[in-house]
Amino acid sequence: MKRILTLSFLLSLLISLSAQGQATTNITGAVFDDATREGIELAGIRVLAQKDSTYVTGTATDSEGKFSVAVKPARYILQVSFLGYNDQYINVNTREKTSVGNIYLKENSIMLSEAVVTAKAVEMQVKGDTLEYNADSYKVQESAVVEDLLKKMPGVEVSAEGKITVNGKEVKKILVDGKEFFSDDPKVASKNLPAQMVDKLQVVDRKSDMSQMTGFDDGDEETVINLTVKPGMKQGLFGSAFAGIGNEDRYEANGMVNYMRNKTQMTALGGVNNTNNAGFSDFASDAFSGNRPRGLNFGGNNGVTKSINGGFNFATEHSDKLKWNGDVRYGSTDNDVSSVSKTRYTGRNQISTSDRWANNKSDNFGANLRFEWTPDSLTKIIFRPSIQYNANRLFQETDEEILLDDDALLGSNTSTSFNSDGKGTTLSSRLEISRKLNDNGRVLSFSFSGGLNDSNSDGFNYFHRTYGDTAKSDSILDQRFAQDDQGYNWRAFMSYVEPLSSKLSKTKYFLQLTYNIRNNHTETDRNAFNKDEFGEYNVLDDEYTRNVRNDFINQNVSLNFKSVGQKYNYTFGLGLEPSSSKTDIKEPGQDKLNVPRKHFLSFAPNAQFNYLWSKRHNLRIDYNGSTSQPSTLQLYNGIISNDGINTTVGNPKLSPSFQNRLNIRFQKFNPEKASVMMLFSRFTYTMDDIVTISTWNGNNGRDITYQNIDGNMSGNLRFIYNTPLRNKKFSINTMTFGGYELQNTYIDGGRNRANILNLQESLGLQFRSDKFDFTVRGNLAFNSTKNTSSTDNDQQVYNYGGYGSFTYYLPFDFTLDSDMQYSSNAGFAEGFHLEEWLWNASLAKQIFKAKNGTIRFKMYDILDKRANITRNTNATYIEDITTSTIQPYFMVNFVYKFQIFKGGAKSSDMTGGRRRDGFDGPGPGGRGPGGGG
């Protein structure tokens, strides 16, 4: 019996020891600044074996300074470090105690005053819904603007026109320290603000004001960039001015003054140039689009643009209860552009080649205001009024040759001349009110908005077509037109949120009931006149003259449920969306045609799911759907446009379309490795999509109209990874993209499905040091289009190339900067093969004792190899275009910066005390984004 008891005891002891050998425990604690008692984020936590001080594992603190690291039971040394603070070493025996409590780090004045370079700052990281870039990690010239900084950041793309996309999403706004900067025009900030003022650049999918009030997503989300200003520049006045002159009559001049004090920001800026830097967006009315012929885009790298711009932006907090901001801006552009294009049409052996030239002049004025009033802790009121005015003048000439079945007798030649002059004004406002009915989440909210628009344009349209078959008579159109567009819209929205859980419950539940109604009323009055026997435009052309009115009403009643837990939250709901549309058409000499009101009913479900492993590791899934109405021009019962070859007419029988959207986002930031991994997926499916329908006419042209069709869809997947290498001076980033799109249309009565596949890969390497920086990047893109109605226009094309840039910091404050981009393609039409080497370089010298002046000599397109070739593909045609662009030039610039900061801070304070190499201190606890100071 004793032997059995002894054996049982030994066996139990053995099992217990074995279990202890496999078990782990967590060392927990929190790190704080000894002076401010604030938590330090990204402080480095290193666990060392007590017997020989070898490294065991490590982590970094979260946004509140807390940490938890898993280890086996044993004796350890805990090393806690952060740049600018003295390290602390703590002995820990995890068999007896696992919590080290609060750790207070004291500043190290020697480290703060000296530049100690031992590790690299975190380039980018994830913080919940925010992707944050460390601006100091991406080197740009002293005179660079925010756009130059954006172009160096992984996942960010800046088009020739200045449109910014981050991970495939277009950026709608740029904020400065959380305050709107020139409202809805991100180009103002990207092309004017100096890059050196930026501390961190944060990308966030920001919910609407109403969503933030109710706590429920209303689908009105927008991608915005928030620029955080370096601490040394937040109390005082700073600005810059530069001027340049070069050969080929090139010139540029720009000035910006920024004032910040406490909770007030003010910015005044302006500039003039002819180097294709528009500065502001062209916010001309969409009403003009129906009067423009096809073929050319304006701005960006297309043609040569002269521009003048100026604006003033302010944001202030009058008191804790009242905040307001606004902007006024003016922009003027004058663009000359020419192009050569070759178009191949699906389902028909027809090729057209064209030469076009155009001049487009526009003047734009806009003013926006935003008031936010919180009269008490339970109520919030937001009011947004705005006004926009624009004037547009366009002249375009086109020569087009059409060849059918390689037979000149079946072809034709057309000369077209078009000009128009238009003006438009838009007024709009929105009032939003939200009231908390208790402190547990019961909220009642209202929104009222509306607007007026009025635009008019007039001009001339002339074309002359000759045929290879001499038996056919020439076709001539010589016409003057005048068009007035007017409209108004209003919207009312109500939301009631009821909490379904107690205040003390860990998991919160809410129910939301909403009602939304909106009305859009539009009217287009178009008159066209032909010449009389005296050559005057006095004969009304009944075929091109119409008055069209449309009234569209859309309602939505929805019920939504939301659950919020510690690690996850989700929302799902269902909306009932009735809508109706009524169109009236008045033609010359005829009674008004009253198209009966059409009624539609849609179901609008929505769902969101968020899972958070941590603040830097999360998954988000969103689904929503919405209704879109056809435009007044698309509902026009007559000829919308005639460019001499193609005639477009409207369709008053169109129905609204309904689009389903699914978005998936996965993000993970590893603080220990300073690496970021992101995965984005997007899928759309549209019911009753409004598409163009083409029918070939007997004049080698197309009769085009609009029709509803089901089945159009698109989907894509984007993977991004960024990490430093073992040698911290190097980092790599990669972006892999795959996309598929199905486009449906009808050609000559037969349905065509275009299956479009797009694959892309981009891989980059970056090196930074105190004296030398360089970046190299390679890219490859494959595009395949296959049509079901005909294989003649199926295509497989490649675009590939590389990019390299370097900056060399020379003695005596000289800086040499150069970049080169190589681009090529395969599979394009003959004459559109791309073989481009674009090489730019500059040499700059800092001057003055304070080094706040710079003289720079720059050269653009040194090899004279700049090309501007693009391809447009859809279910109807494939078009290759070569567009004129600015020619090689050199320029001499003078740049001057000034600053007056609180307490007499020096110029070096503009960088927040950081070195220009972007290195921030030892280990994983460097003063990276969000880190303690």
Side-chain angles (χ1 to χ4, degrees), residues 81-250:
S81 61
F82 195 78
L83 178 66
Y85 295 84
N86 294 314
D87 288 3
Q88 277 205 32
Y89 297 87
I90 303 169
N91 291 322
V92 182
N93 183 353
T94 58
R95 293 191 180 95
E96 299 175 355
K97 183 181 179 182
T98 58
S99 174
V100 296
N102 296 336
I103 303 169
Y104 297 94
L105 299 184
K106 294 183 178 181
E107 289 189 355
N108 184 326
S109 58
I110 298 177
M111 288 188 66
L112 289 176
S113 62
E114 294 181 356
V116 178
V117 180
T118 57
K120 191 178 77 169
V122 178
E123 290 184 15
M124 56 191 293
Q125 65 169 313
V126 172
K127 289 184 173 181
D129 286 340
T130 302
L131 175 63
E132 186 173 84
Y133 295 86
N134 184 349
D136 282 349
S137 296
Y138 306 94
K139 295 311 300 171
V140 292
Q141 288 192 14
E142 292 288 326
S143 57
V145 293
V146 169
E147 183 179 88
D148 301 313
L149 188 65
L150 288 167
K151 290 178 179 179
K152 292 180 175 288
M153 294 177 169
V156 181
E157 299 175 14
V158 182
S159 72
E161 289 74 32
K163 183 177 76 172
I164 304 166
T165 57
V166 182
N167 302 323
K169 292 184 178 182
E170 182 179 354
V171 173
K172 298 295 186 180
K173 293 181 180 179
I174 289 183
L175 315 179
V176 176
D177 273 347
K179 298 178 175 65
E180 291 189 4
F181 191 83
F182 284 93
S183 188
D184 296 329
D185 193 352
K187 286 177 61 177
V188 183
S190 65
K191 290 183 174 293
N192 291 281
L193 289 180
Q196 282 200 340
M197 70 176 279
V198 181
D199 184 25
K200 300 175 182 65
L201 188 146
Q202 300 166 334
V203 182
V204 61
D205 292 328
R206 191 177 71 164
K207 300 183 186 303
S208 67
D209 289 332
M210 182 55 65
S211 291
Q212 295 177 50
M213 291 176 175
T214 64
F216 279 77
D217 191 356
D218 61 3
D220 194 18
E221 187 177 79
E222 59 185 1
T223 300
V224 302
I225 288 177
N226 180 44
L227 307 176
T228 66
V229 180
K230 292 178 178 177
M233 304 178 71
K234 291 186 177 182
Q235 293 288 332
L237 183 75
F238 69 90
S240 63
F242 80 88
I245 189 168
N247 67 331
E248 304 295 332
D249 296 323
R250 295 284 164 253

Side-chain angles (χ1 to χ4, degrees), residues 659-897:
Q659 187 179 72
N660 301 272
R661 296 178 292 270
L662 176 67
N663 294 286
I664 301 174
R665 184 193 69 192
F666 173 82
Q667 298 183 134
K668 184 177 182 180
F669 170 65
N670 187 327
E672 191 72 21
K673 296 182 179 179
S675 63
V676 172
M677 180 176 65
M678 296 176 289
L679 187 68
F680 301 89
S681 181
R682 183 177 303 172
F683 176 79
T684 64
Y685 180 84
T686 306
M687 298 180 291
D688 283 328
D689 198 9
I690 300 172
V691 301
T692 57
I693 306 298
S694 302
T695 303
W696 293 100
N697 56 41
N699 298 321
N700 295 336
R702 295 180 298 151
D703 293 328
I704 302 170
T705 188
Y706 303 97
Q707 183 174 315
N708 294 107
I709 193 170
D710 287 331
N712 283 349
M713 66 179 71
S714 65
N716 62 63
L717 183 68
R718 187 185 303 263
F719 173 78
I720 296 175
Y721 184 70
N722 184 85
T723 186
L725 299 181
R726 179 171 297 181
N727 182 338
K728 299 296 183 178
K729 295 181 179 181
F730 287 91
S731 63
I732 61 170
N733 61 80
T734 179
M735 191 280 286
T736 305
F737 175 86
Y740 169 77
E741 184 174 0
L742 176 61
Q743 293 184 2
N744 289 270
T745 190
Y746 284 92
I747 301 175
D748 289 334
R751 184 162 179 160
N752 178 55
R753 295 180 178 88
N755 295 276
I756 303 172
L757 176 66
N758 187 5
L759 303 175
Q760 300 176 33
E761 173 60 39
S762 176
L763 180 64
L765 173 68
Q766 187 179 57
F767 171 85
R768 294 194 312 278
S769 69
D770 191 32
K771 297 295 184 182
F772 183 75
D773 307 322
F774 76 81
T775 299
V776 292
R777 184 171 64 245
N779 58 80
L780 173 65
F782 169 76
N783 182 275
S784 171
T785 301
K786 293 185 178 181
N787 298 279
T788 57
S789 65
S790 171
T791 60
D792 294 341
N793 263 11
D794 289 356
Q795 66 158 1
Q796 290 187 346
V797 299
Y798 295 87
N799 288 274
Y800 52 91
Y803 171 84
S805 67
F806 76 86
T807 302
Y808 190 24
Y809 303 103
L810 299 167
F812 307 108
D813 297 316
F814 280 94
T815 301
L816 178 63
D817 190 276
S818 181
D819 64 79
M820 177 175 286
Q821 179 173 306
Y822 171 72
S823 302
S824 186
N825 63 26
F828 279 51
E830 184 178 353
F832 293 87
H833 175 65
L834 178 65
E835 196 75 29
E836 176 184 275
W837 292 89
L838 180 60
W839 181 23
N840 308 309
S842 69
L843 179 65
K845 170 73 168 71
Q846 288 184 314
I847 57 176
F848 304 139
K849 184 178 181 180
K851 299 182 180 180
N852 57 345
T854 301
I855 295 178
R856 181 180 64 184
F857 176 76
K858 68 177 183 180
M859 296 179 288
Y860 171 80
D861 191 11
I862 298 172
L863 301 178
D864 194 11
K865 293 289 186 178
R866 178 75 169 105
N868 205 13
I869 297 175
T870 57
R871 165 165 286 200
N872 299 320
T873 303
N874 57 35
T876 306
Y877 61 83
I878 295 175
E879 181 180 40
D880 295 319
I881 308 173
T882 298
T883 309
S884 63
T885 187
I886 197 166
Q887 297 300 304
Y889 68 90
F890 65 82
M891 182 170 287
V892 177
N893 292 99
F894 171 71
V895 184
Y896 179 75
K897 296 182 180 182

Side-chain angles (χ1 to χ4, degrees), residues 418-482:
F418 178 91
N419 69 82
S420 69
D421 193 340
K423 298 177 182 178
T425 304
T426 301
L427 300 171
S428 64
S429 65
R430 173 177 292 185
L431 175 66
E432 295 178 322
I433 305 171
S434 182
R435 173 77 177 180
K436 295 180 181 179
L437 303 181
N438 65 16
D439 57 359
N440 195 28
R442 181 179 296 147
V443 182
L444 182 62
S445 306
F446 299 93
S447 176
F448 306 96
S449 61
L452 300 170
N453 63 81
D454 186 5
S455 64
N456 61 81
S457 60
D458 58 78
F460 297 89
N461 189 15
Y462 174 86
F463 75 81
H464 182 188
R465 180 186 299 166
T466 60
Y467 298 92
D469 184 356
T470 56
K472 286 188 174 183
S473 301
D474 292 1
S475 297
I476 298 176
L477 175 69
D478 188 358
Q479 187 180 86
R480 181 176 71 86
F481 64 85

Side-chain angles (χ1 to χ4, degrees), residues 9 58 105 125 193 216 266 325 428 474 501 546 582 657:
F9 172 76
L105 299 184
Q125 65 169 313
L193 289 180
F216 279 77
M266 293 184 184
N325 62 273
S428 64
D474 292 1
S501 56
R546 297 284 191 283
K582 189 178 188 306
S657 62

Side-chain angles (χ1 to χ4, degrees), residues 215-217 560-563 569-573 606-609:
F216 279 77
D217 191 356
N560 305 300
F561 175 80
K562 183 174 184 177
S563 173
N569 61 79
Y570 61 86
T571 303
F572 62 85
N606 70 87
Q608 298 91 35
F609 175 78

